[in-house]
């Protein structure tokens, strides 16, 4: 699905479920406040609802197959990656000189893994993680947001074993 005016990518038709998936961060509607959620806030809401539904704080965010650039699918190219996340706390607030204000966020551990590794874990009978899908471009944007947030933390708190620590901003309105 694309906007008829600006040609921006707004969503997909999923043939398996015969449903349309809208990329909420790509759709802007008129609102009283004039403020709209961005990609990280939409993902944070999805993660929180997934935890509430499944009880699992671990997820693999994988790229939608249709959105993987063709140059990443060949034998000589870099293989597509997934994000493995583990939510530590879904209800924190943080501030920094960069943000200038107190903002709600999810504190999580994350790491980039190969799509093959993600699929292998997800197909395991003992898997305790959920799968979330998003366009490859959006997944890369989320990884950049998490990498930027990692730099806000004290140096000694940025890594835990093979995981990086990040903050995923949550939607917050001043109503």
């Amino acid at each position: 699905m694309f906007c008829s005016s600006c040609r921006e990518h707004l969503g997909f038709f999923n043939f398996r479920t015969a449903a349309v998936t809208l990329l909420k961060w790509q759709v802007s509607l008129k609102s009283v406040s004039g403020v709209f959620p961005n990609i990280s806030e939409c993902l944070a809401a999805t993660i929180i609802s997934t935890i509430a539904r499944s009880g699992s704080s671990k997820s693999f965010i994988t790229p939608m197959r249709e959105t993987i650039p063709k140059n990443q699918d060949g034998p000589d190219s870099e293989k597509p990656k997934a994000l493995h996340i583990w939510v530590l706390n879904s209800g924190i607030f943080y501030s920094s000189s960069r943000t200038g204000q107190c903002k709600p966020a999810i504190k999580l551990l994350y790491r980039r893994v190969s799509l093959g590794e993600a699929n292998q874990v997800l197909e395991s009978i003992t898997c305790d993680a959920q799968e979330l899908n998003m366009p490859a471009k959006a997944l890369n944007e989320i990884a950049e947001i998490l990498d930027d947030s990692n730099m806000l933390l004290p140096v000694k708190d940025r890594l835990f074993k093979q995981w990086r620590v990040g903050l995923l901003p949550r939607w917050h309105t001043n109503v």
Side-chain angles (χ1 to χ4, degrees):
M1 291 179 41
F2 295 89
C3 174
S4 62
S5 313
C6 67
R7 302 302 303 154
E8 189 68 39
H9 190 202
L10 301 177
F12 299 91
F13 181 77
N14 186 329
F15 290 99
R16 282 184 287 164
T17 60
V20 173
T21 299
L22 286 178
L23 307 175
K24 293 176 185 77
W25 59 92
Q26 294 287 82
V27 178
S28 58
L29 304 170
K30 290 185 179 183
S31 77
V32 175
S33 68
V35 180
F36 308 101
N38 62 32
I39 188 170
S40 68
E41 294 163 339
C42 289
L43 178 60
T46 300
I47 291 169
I48 290 169
S49 69
T50 299
I51 291 171
R53 184 179 61 251
S54 69
S56 177
S57 60
K58 296 178 186 175
S59 295
F60 282 96
I61 306 171
T62 59
M64 294 174 163
R65 184 170 308 276
E66 309 84 25
T67 66
I68 297 171
K70 298 297 180 215
N71 61 351
Q72 282 191 338
D73 220 1
D76 298 331
S77 64
E78 184 180 320
K79 295 293 181 194
K81 299 276 188 181
L83 263 179
H84 188 187
I85 63 168
W86 187 355
V87 175
L88 300 174
N89 189 336
S90 62
I92 69 163
F93 286 82
Y94 74 98
S95 64
S96 74
S97 58
R98 197 183 317 166
T99 62
Q101 61 181 341
C102 191
K103 298 182 72 155
I106 294 174
K107 184 175 184 180
L108 51 79
L109 301 175
Y110 71 100
R111 62 190 182 113
R112 299 281 278 183
V113 297
S114 71
L115 197 50
E117 180 183 341
N119 288 332
Q120 184 178 4
V121 172
L122 287 166
E123 291 169 2
S124 167
I125 290 178
T126 59
C127 177
D128 62 347
Q130 299 297 311
E131 181 178 20
L132 303 173
N133 301 107
M134 64 184 348
K137 181 180 171 186
L139 181 59
N140 290 332
E141 190 175 332
I142 289 294
E144 288 175 17
I145 290 168
L146 289 172
D147 288 342
D148 286 346
S149 74
N150 180 265
M151 300 308 290
L152 297 175
L153 300 170
V155 175
K156 65 180 178 62
D157 294 336
R158 293 179 185 170
L159 293 172
F160 177 74
K161 298 188 180 182
Q162 77 271 24
W163 299 83
R164 297 184 78 187
V165 181
L167 302 169
L168 190 63
R170 284 188 357 243
W171 173 253
H172 181 67
T173 180
N174 295 329
V175 178

